[in-house]
Amino acid sequence: MLLTEIKSDPNLKSIPVVVITTSTDEQDILESYNLSANCYVTKPIDIYQFIQVVQLIKDFWLIAATLPQK
């Protein structure tokens, strides 16, 4: 799984990983967090809501969150 590879690579593991999916299955959510996903977002069906969610994710990770410097 790509998430496992990213989080096991010392050069990549500090990069925030946001899982965006249509799945609301509790097992998928738990597995993503167990594999060190930083966020799990269920993708809205409506395109305008989807764009708003993507904007919120961008604003959080690129404006609000403090990330480690390399």
Side-chain angles (χ1 to χ4, degrees):
M1 176 179 258
L2 181 60
L3 184 54
T4 302
E5 290 183 38
I6 292 170
K7 292 302 184 174
S8 65
D9 184 322
N11 295 315
L12 302 176
K13 71 179 181 179
S14 66
I15 296 172
V17 175
V18 177
V19 175
I20 302 175
T21 179
T22 58
S23 174
T24 58
D25 186 280
E26 186 65 24
Q27 189 60 38
D28 291 340
I29 297 167
L30 287 171
E31 182 178 6
S32 294
Y33 281 112
N34 286 336
L35 292 172
S36 300
N38 298 94
C39 185
Y40 189 98
V41 177
T42 303
K43 183 170 40 175
I45 296 171
D46 179 78
I47 187 66
Y48 298 106
Q49 290 177 340
F50 177 70
I51 292 168
Q52 184 178 26
V53 166
V54 170
Q55 183 67 44
L56 288 168
I57 293 167
K58 180 187 80 82
D59 288 348
F60 177 77
W61 287 108
L62 299 179
I63 297 171
T66 301
L67 301 173
Q69 299 297 311
K70 285 205 169 197

